Amino acid sequence: MISNAPRIMISAAGSNNGKTTVTSAILKAFTMKGKKLAAFKAGPDYIDPMFHSRVIKVTSRNLDKFMMGENNCKYIFSKNSNGAEISIIEGVMGYYDGIGTDTSCSSYELAAILNCPVVLVINPNGMAASVCAIIEGFKSFREKSNIKGVILNGVSNAMYEYYRKIIELNTDVRVYGYMPRLSDCMLESRHLGLVTAEEIGNLESIIEKLGEQALRTIDLDGLYLLAASTDPIKYEEPRINYIGKTRIAVAYDKAFCFYYEDNLDILAEMGAEVIKFSPLKDKELPGDIGGLYIGGGYPELYVEELSGNKSMLDDIKSKVAAGLPTFAECGGYMYLMENFIDKNGDKDGKVYSFAGAIEGNSCMTGSLKRFGYITLTSRNDNLMCKTGESINGHEFHYSDSSNTGDSFLAAKPESDRSWMTIIADDTKFVGYPHINFIGNLKFAENFMKKSIEYYSGSR
């Protein structure tokens, strides 16, 4: 298969350089110009794609070589950019930052996989000609860097002209405009990154202002031409088998919103009807279901509402105990435990009852716990796989629990660090790690088979 989708990547020298703000501004500006867009995020982050999706009203996808594999990155990109006039990929961390001490699974490597031109977001404040050294350093760090231009962030119109001349006189990198500092358009952050799109009441107004600014100060025509200059992508389409009919309930609200949309797509392609419900508002699970999927999110922010919805908690506990095939990641796994303990500076803490479908309690801590890419290898036959089978995943959480499970060995790449994780048996796969089904379709197939079996037997 071949894709000729026009594309560019927006990256930066490091985190907190304004990639998401600039990317959102460009996406909005192109929609204002009537362009049909597709958006993507490099790496495992859930929150940035939510912003993309709210901006362009089209679901944004993750592209993660470690979790998906090189060919599947090409496939997911090509599938979801089909028909788009321009596709914009937001990078992750600094452009060359990857696993361990090299560039493995970095934005740079993804740009190479996708034959994608790259525009760096640079904040030049406090520099003059030194900004050229930074640009040249990034451009020459690897022989084929794919870096074709820069966008200056946080500069005024007067200073932009100054920096543009310095850069274009001293490098062969094109400057594609700038974004000034807009104090009323700052995107808030918390422990897992930016706050979610659903929590920003005036997000539409913020994005509108960013788009209007980008129309004035970013060279959108130049970016459009740059995106059209790309070479074709060659890939193989993975075989996603139809398994059978079932209905899978998916928790989806402000507390649980961290999902790889491709996971939901894969379940649907395999025959599932995906039924979204709210643990915050609904009183019980949707009827006539064969499976339950609770993703990550911020349950710690909504403990009173979640613990107060007793009928939902009781329904989940009874159905999981009755053998409802259940897949829960991070926040969803915390929700299935007995209690959440909100210490909030108190030695003992306040206890909030959760579902109690699995043993143990969770609480927030003051630091980032087990995090980063991991390879998960099963130590027993379970809902998703057989003993010895594996899938790549990711952890990133500030909470911890008294029962993290021991059904899988989690091993960090390029490291001797490992730990036990995930509670898994014939009907459950719950724990802190996040996985992407495209990385091992057997996991989705097995979940589907068990869900179909439960669905057929319960009717």
Side-chain angles (χ1 to χ4, degrees):
M1 304 286 287
I2 294 176
S3 171
N4 291 296
R7 56 202 176 272
I8 57 170
M9 176 184 286
I10 306 297
S11 191
S15 298
N16 302 314
N17 277 245
K19 289 191 302 291
T20 300
T21 300
V22 171
T23 301
S24 297
I26 291 171
L27 287 169
K28 183 61 177 180
F30 272 123
T31 62
M32 290 173 164
K33 289 172 69 70
K35 299 298 183 185
K36 185 176 181 181
L37 304 176
F40 302 87
K41 171 66 180 181
D45 177 73
Y46 288 100
I47 299 178
D48 290 346
M50 293 185 203
F51 281 88
H52 300 169
S53 300
R54 284 283 297 272
V55 171
I56 61 174
K57 312 302 181 187
V58 173
T59 302
S60 179
R61 309 285 169 157
N62 291 79
L63 298 172
D64 190 308
K65 185 196 170 187
F66 183 81
M67 295 178 70
M68 299 165 65
E70 182 172 325
N71 180 73
N72 286 328
C73 283
K74 295 179 181 179
Y75 162 69
I76 293 297
F77 171 81
S78 301
K79 172 188 174 184
N80 291 287
S81 61
N82 186 32
E85 294 176 84
I86 181 171
S87 295
I88 297 175
I89 306 159
E90 180 183 342
V92 59
M93 299 192 299
Y95 182 54
Y96 290 107
D97 298 334
I99 295 173
T101 58
D102 64 18
T103 60
S104 175
C105 299
S106 62
S107 299
Y108 157 74
E109 190 170 68
L110 181 63
I113 289 169
L114 299 179
N115 299 324
C116 184
V118 176
V119 176
L120 285 181
V121 175
I122 298 284
N123 187 327
N125 289 319
M127 292 181 280
S130 294
V131 71
C132 301
I134 292 174
I135 294 168
E136 282 294 301
F138 269 83
K139 191 171 184 295
S140 62
F141 184 65
R142 288 291 185 267
E143 185 177 351
K144 294 182 179 179
S145 71
N146 284 323
I147 295 172
K148 304 299 181 183
V150 298
I151 291 172
L152 304 181
N153 189 36
V155 300
S156 65
N157 179 64
M159 291 305 294
Y160 167 67
E161 289 301 323
Y162 170 75
Y163 283 120
R164 183 185 63 78
K165 289 178 182 178
I166 287 177
I167 292 168
E168 293 188 345
L169 282 172
N170 290 280
T171 77
D172 61 355
V173 170
R174 180 169 172 177
V175 182
Y176 284 94
Y178 73 100
M179 287 291 290
R181 178 178 174 81
L182 301 174
S183 58
D184 58 343
C185 294
M186 302 296 288
L187 300 177
E188 297 177 53
S189 297
R190 66 159 61 92
H191 52 275
L192 297 185
L194 294 170
V195 298
T196 63
E198 294 298 323
E199 296 175 87
I200 303 177
N202 64 335
L203 180 61
E204 296 295 338
S205 172
I206 289 174
I207 297 302
E208 190 79 17
K209 290 178 182 178
L210 290 173
E212 290 171 352
Q213 183 65 50
L215 283 173
R216 293 192 294 270
T217 59
I218 290 182
D219 181 6
L220 298 172
D221 292 338
L223 294 177
Y224 190 77
L225 291 174
L226 178 63
S229 69
T230 51
D231 294 327
I233 299 171
K234 295 181 181 180
Y235 67 97
E236 295 181 9
E237 190 168 338
R239 183 174 179 178
I240 300 176
N241 298 313
Y242 176 80
I243 307 300
K245 288 186 178 180
T246 186
R247 286 161 51 93
I248 294 178
V250 176
Y252 214 107
D253 56 22
K254 290 189 295 185
F256 304 102
C257 51
F258 291 177
Y259 293 92
Y260 296 126
E261 290 293 331
D262 293 302
N263 278 0
L264 304 182
D265 287 352
I266 287 167
L267 294 175
E269 286 184 58
M270 289 182 173
E273 180 183 359
V274 173
I275 311 296
K276 294 182 178 179
F277 73 99
S278 171
L280 285 169
K281 297 180 180 179
D282 295 330
K283 297 305 179 185
E284 59 185 16
L285 289 171
D288 197 22
I289 58 173
L292 173 63
Y293 181 7
I294 311 179
Y298 289 117
E300 68 273 13
L301 300 182
Y302 303 98
V303 289
E304 291 197 10
E305 297 97 317
L306 290 171
S307 67
N309 192 353
K310 299 295 186 184
S311 61
M312 174 62 78
L313 294 170
D314 291 344
D315 193 38
I316 288 175
K317 181 178 182 178
S318 65
K319 286 187 168 64
V320 172
L324 176 67
T326 300
F327 170 34
E329 303 171 295
C330 204
Y333 146 76
M334 293 164 60
Y335 178 64
L336 291 180
M337 302 190 87
E338 293 170 296
N339 302 297
F340 177 83
I341 303 173
D342 184 5
K343 294 188 176 180
N344 195 27
D346 187 345
K347 181 179 178 182
D348 297 320
K350 185 174 181 179
V351 177
Y352 293 89
S353 296
F354 273 178
I358 54 175
E359 293 181 359
N361 305 318
S362 67
C363 66
M364 298 305 294
T365 72
S367 62
L368 188 61
K369 297 303 174 184
R370 299 164 298 279
F371 68 94
Y373 288 126
I374 49 176
T375 296
L376 296 162
T377 304
S378 179
R379 303 176 68 238
N380 66 332
D381 294 351
N382 58 74
L383 172 65
M384 297 291 200
C385 65
K386 299 292 186 183
T387 304
E389 294 182 338
S390 65
I391 191 170
N392 286 345
H394 185 265
E395 283 196 42
F396 192 94
H397 51 93
Y398 280 75
S399 68
D400 209 347
S401 80
S402 61
N403 181 14
T404 54
D406 60 2
S407 296
F408 281 76
L409 176 69
K412 289 184 71 66
E414 300 185 10
S415 169
D416 59 0
R417 189 180 173 210
S418 63
W419 57 88
M420 299 300 176
T421 188
I422 300 178
I423 300 164
D425 56 28
D426 285 345
T427 62
K428 294 190 289 293
F429 181 100
V430 303
Y432 272 120
H434 296 280
I435 63 172
N436 193 314
F437 284 143
I438 197 71
N440 189 336
L441 290 168
K442 287 183 179 179
F443 277 61
E445 290 178 358
N446 291 332
F447 182 44
M448 282 291 297
K449 288 174 183 177
K450 205 71 175 182
S451 297
I452 291 166
E453 180 184 319
Y454 185 93
Y455 180 66
S456 300
S458 64
R459 303 184 77 192

